[in-house]
């Protein structure tokens, strides 16, 4: 029953519900360029990027540097076996690290064995939840997060990283408490700041930014770290240094914690799981695979979940899909998970053959890497696009960012997710009912100024008619045909045509509302018809509920023009 006579315009300019933010750009041409030895070259490039990033993320999470490398090795190996996407890179992630670090710090001090045990237990819980989501094929949950809310909470996470690294960059003691209190404490110590530490961090940051801008395939962060280490050695600079990577063969064991710890971590695990699902779904859309085929999202959630379970069992922390590392694999010629396996071999070689080299790196230089990561998370261009293109949704960005900055980070992220769900629910419960008119010289009815037919009103319902919005839709329809008492104006129309192409679903509550509306309007002298009720299940629901019987078979039309031509009052 669908034709092209009266399409209903999507007012946000899109073609449906907003999708999640694309956290990485798609590869030019839709697929990576294949070249001889591409996976080896991609693996070497991945290792060059991943090593400083994993060290920095471990520091961000308040954990030993070798645990970041262990998380990368385990996540990559398990996903290579259990995942479906051939390009996706899994490992320690700077998006979730500050989320769990802030929460775990309330339960144990970073550096305490209990803190590391809680991080491992959290990885285990996140893995079980992701595995369950994969088994139940619950990937649709990730689509509940809107782009503005996602951009906002990522901005808040970026603020946590930047402010959290300020004490190391300035060479002053760190603050304690919530984020704003930490910032205030750090700013009070500015007179004691050490320019040397700030200079090292700035040098690494400039190297990373320059590499990203002018030579994306060069490991700018790694080059910066090496340069900073050389400068400290040659110039005899006195700055805080990193701990050496401890080379050990990990042993699988359950974290030595109890049921009370599981209960305490479960809300945090749910938050981290949802963030992992969101980010993984975004990477899968941006990088479907070397041949452009769509990977199995549920299997990828399963692979990521198993990676987290194994990471937790071996004492590491939660892992996640990485947009920038996946983009690097694609752009450097990687075509399979062999690229990740090459990177794993390089990382293992570093740990067992040159782990002491890490102790030559100044802590401020690694903070420069974290600042670079934070700036990549902060999506100013996306905010500008939302402000220009979306009607008021920039306030969702601001609200979610404010929640993450002003509250404990795990609570702020959780409330940002709730904000996204509330916004989605509001959009569903308040759909517009636009008045249509005929475009001059055509039979097309559209929500633009055009020709009107005397005694006829045409309204387009732009959403499924269900219990959540039935009352709102009824009020809009009745208001459109009513003349305010005691006020001059045209009489109530003789015919109301509901353009129902957007009503892809009508539930029992929505059908009962429409049946009452038919009876009420016809009793008041306004006939009512429905045009373009095209979805088969919507037609079936209308038939089962008695709506079609109440309306009358002769009042259901293929197009608005047909309904107007048949039922409009004759002059």
């Amino acid at each position: 029953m669908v034709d092209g006579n009266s399409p209903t315009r999507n007012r946000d300019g899109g073609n449906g519900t907003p999708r999640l933010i694309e956290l990485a750009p798609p590869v030019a041409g839709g697929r990576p360029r294949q070249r001889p030895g591409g996976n080896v070259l991609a693996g070497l490039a991945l290792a060059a990027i991943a090593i400083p990033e994993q060290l920095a993320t471990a520091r961000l999470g308040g954990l030993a540097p070798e645990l970041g490398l262990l998380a990368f090795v385990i996540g990559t190996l398990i996903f290579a076996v259990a995942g479906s996407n051939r390009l996706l890179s899994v490992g320690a992630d700077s998006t979730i690290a500050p989320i769990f670090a802030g929460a775990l710090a309330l339960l144990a001090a970073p550096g305490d064995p209990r803190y590391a045990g809680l991080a491992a237990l959290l990885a285990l819980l996140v893995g079980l939840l992701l595995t369950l989501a994969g088994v139940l094929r619950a990937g649709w949950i990730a689509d509940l997060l809107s782009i503005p809310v996602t951009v906002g909470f990522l901005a808040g996470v970026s603020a946590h990283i930047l402010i959290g690294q300020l004490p190391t960059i300035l060479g002053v003691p760190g603050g304690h408490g919530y984020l704003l209190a930490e910032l205030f404490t750090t700013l009070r110590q500015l007179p004691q700041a050490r320019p040397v530490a700030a200079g090292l961090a700035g040098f690494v940051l400039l190297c990373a930014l320059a590499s990203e801008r002018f030579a994306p395939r060069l490991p700018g962060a790694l080059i910066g770290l090496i340069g900073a280490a050389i400068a400290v050695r040659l110039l005899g600079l006195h700055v805080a240094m990193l701990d050496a990577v401890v080379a050990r063969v990990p042993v699988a064991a359950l974290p030595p914690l109890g049921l009370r710890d599981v209960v305490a971590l479960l809300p945090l695990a749910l938050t981290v799981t949802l963030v992992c699902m969101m980010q993984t779904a975004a990477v899968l859309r941006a990088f479907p695979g070397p041949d452009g085929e769509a990977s199995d999202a549920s299997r990828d959630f399963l692979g990521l979940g198993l990676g987290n379970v194994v990471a937790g069992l071996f004492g590491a922390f939660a892992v996640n899909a990485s947009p920038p590392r996946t983009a690097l694999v694609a752009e450097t010629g990687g075509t399979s998970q062999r690229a990740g396996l090459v990177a794993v071999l390089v990382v293992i070689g570093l740990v067992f053959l040159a782990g002491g080299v890490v102790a030559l790196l100044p802590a401020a230089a690694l903070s420069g890497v974290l600042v670079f990561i934070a700036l990549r998370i902060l999506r100013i261009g996306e905010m500008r696009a939302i402000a220009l293109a979306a009607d008021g949704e920039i306030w969702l960005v601001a609200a979610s960012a404010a929640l993450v900055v002003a509250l404990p980070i795990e609570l702020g992220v959780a409330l940002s997710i709730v904000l996204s769900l509330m916004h989605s629910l509001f959009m569903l419960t308040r759909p517009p009912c636009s008045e249509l008119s005929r475009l001059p010289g055509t039979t097309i009815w559209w929500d633009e100024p055009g020709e009107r037919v005397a005694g006829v009103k045409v309204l387009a319902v732009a959403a499924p008619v269900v219990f959540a919005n039935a009352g709102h839709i009824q009020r809009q329809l009745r208001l459109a045909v009513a003349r305010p008492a005691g006020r001059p104006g045209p009489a109530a129309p003789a015919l109301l045509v509901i353009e129902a192409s957007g009503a892809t679903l009508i539930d029992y509550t929505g059908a009962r509302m429409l049946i009452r509306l038919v009876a009420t309007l016809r009793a008041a002298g306004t006939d009512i018809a429905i045009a373009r009720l095209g979805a088969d299940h919507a037609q079936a629901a209308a038939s089962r509920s008695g709506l079609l019987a109440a309306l009358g078979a002769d009042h259901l039309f293929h197009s608005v023009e047909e309904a107007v031509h048949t039922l409009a009052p004759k002059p």
Side-chain angles (χ1 to χ4, degrees):
M1 297 182 66
V2 178
D3 67 4
N5 284 345
S6 50
T8 303
R9 175 168 298 174
N10 189 335
R11 289 186 176 272
D12 64 6
N15 56 3
T17 305
R19 308 296 293 172
L20 291 175
I21 181 174
E22 296 297 341
L23 298 177
V27 181
R31 67 181 65 185
R33 294 176 295 274
Q34 298 189 25
R35 56 177 66 92
N39 286 316
V40 174
L41 295 176
L44 294 174
L46 176 60
I49 295 295
I51 289 170
E53 184 187 59
Q54 300 300 281
L55 293 173
T57 303
R59 179 178 177 82
L60 185 62
L63 294 157
E66 61 267 17
L67 292 183
L69 300 176
L70 178 62
F72 174 77
V73 169
I74 291 175
T76 300
L77 290 176
I78 299 301
F79 190 85
V81 174
S84 71
N85 189 283
R86 298 295 85 197
L87 300 177
L88 190 111
S89 178
V90 175
D93 177 60
S94 54
T95 302
I96 60 174
I99 298 175
F100 71 70
L104 297 185
L106 300 176
L107 303 175
D112 189 289
R114 175 171 165 77
Y115 183 93
L118 288 170
L121 178 60
L122 177 66
L124 191 59
L125 293 175
V126 169
L128 293 174
L129 291 172
L130 282 169
T131 300
L132 181 63
V135 171
L136 297 179
R137 307 192 69 81
W140 57 269
I141 294 175
D143 292 332
L144 296 178
L145 293 178
S146 68
I147 289 178
V149 169
T150 303
V151 170
F153 93 69
L154 287 176
V157 170
S158 175
H160 274 269
I161 297 174
L162 292 170
I163 294 174
Q165 296 309 305
L166 272 180
T168 304
I169 292 172
L170 298 175
V172 299
H176 300 284
Y178 295 143
L179 185 67
L180 297 180
E182 291 183 18
L183 177 61
F184 180 72
T185 301
T186 302
L187 293 179
R188 285 196 309 173
Q189 300 180 85
L190 278 178
Q192 289 79 44
R194 302 188 62 196
V196 171
L200 291 171
F203 171 74
V204 174
L205 175 61
L206 286 176
C207 287
L209 291 173
S211 173
E212 183 180 53
R213 176 67 177 85
F214 300 108
R217 295 183 183 179
L218 288 180
L222 183 60
I223 293 171
L225 287 176
I226 294 172
I230 293 173
V232 169
R233 186 77 172 178
L234 293 181
L235 301 178
L237 304 177
H238 297 285
V239 292
M241 307 297 285
L242 297 178
D243 296 328
V245 170
V246 178
R248 62 181 177 85
V249 177
V251 178
L254 287 172
L257 301 168
L259 181 60
R260 181 176 298 179
D261 297 303
V262 173
V263 174
L265 290 178
L266 193 55
L268 176 62
L270 289 169
T271 300
V272 173
T273 298
L274 191 54
V275 174
C276 288
M277 292 176 68
M278 175 273 298
Q279 186 155 303
T280 302
V283 177
L284 294 179
R285 284 196 297 272
F287 300 97
D291 297 320
E293 75 279 4
S295 57
D296 184 347
S298 294
R299 181 179 163 187
D300 288 334
F301 287 144
L302 178 63
L304 184 62
L306 293 176
N308 273 283
V309 168
V310 176
L313 290 176
F314 280 92
F317 53 95
V319 297
N320 193 11
S322 169
R325 291 201 307 271
T326 303
L328 178 73
V329 171
E331 288 291 350
T332 52
T335 58
S336 74
Q337 287 293 333
R338 293 188 185 92
L341 299 181
V342 171
V344 164
L345 292 176
V346 174
V347 170
I348 293 175
L350 170 71
V351 171
F352 285 97
L353 299 178
V357 171
V358 176
L360 301 177
L361 300 177
L366 204 60
S367 290
V369 176
L370 288 172
V371 171
F372 172 67
I373 293 172
L375 294 177
R376 297 180 74 172
I377 294 175
L378 185 63
R379 302 193 163 273
I380 300 297
E382 194 79 37
M383 294 180 192
R384 187 182 301 113
I386 292 170
L388 294 175
D391 185 15
E393 292 188 57
I394 189 63
W395 294 109
L396 290 173
V397 178
S400 54
L403 287 171
V404 175
V405 169
L407 300 174
I409 185 169
E410 73 283 359
L411 177 60
V413 171
L415 290 179
S416 293
I417 294 170
V418 172
L419 178 64
S420 181
L421 297 177
M422 291 178 62
H423 177 245
S424 300
L425 183 61
F426 178 82
M427 297 290 286
L428 175 64
T429 58
R430 292 296 182 270
C433 289
S434 307
E435 184 172 356
L436 307 183
S437 58
R438 185 195 287 134
L439 296 182
T442 73
T443 60
I444 296 174
W445 290 75
W446 205 279
D447 58 341
E448 288 183 1
E451 300 173 350
R452 303 294 177 100
V453 175
V456 176
K457 282 249 183 174
V458 179
L459 295 173
V461 176
V465 184
V466 296
F467 70 95
N469 61 23
H472 175 74
I473 291 174
Q474 181 187 45
R475 286 190 293 272
Q476 290 191 89
L477 294 175
R478 297 191 66 171
L479 184 63
V481 300
R483 185 179 71 179
R487 296 185 184 179
L495 174 65
L496 170 65
V497 179
I498 299 176
E499 199 279 336
S501 62
T504 55
L505 175 67
I506 301 177
D507 72 356
Y508 180 79
T509 304
R512 300 310 299 175
M513 178 275 290
L514 290 172
I515 289 172
R516 289 193 298 271
L517 184 67
V518 168
T520 300
L521 292 185
R522 285 178 176 170
T526 297
D527 199 3
I528 184 169
I530 295 179
R532 301 187 75 231
L533 185 62
D536 292 339
H537 46 278
Q539 291 188 39
S543 178
R544 289 194 305 268
S545 65
L547 173 59
L548 293 185
L551 183 70
D554 57 344
H555 280 62
L556 187 66
F557 297 92
H558 291 81
S559 69
V560 171
E561 184 67 19
E562 182 186 5
V564 173
H565 178 76
T566 304
L567 299 178
K570 302 300 185 284

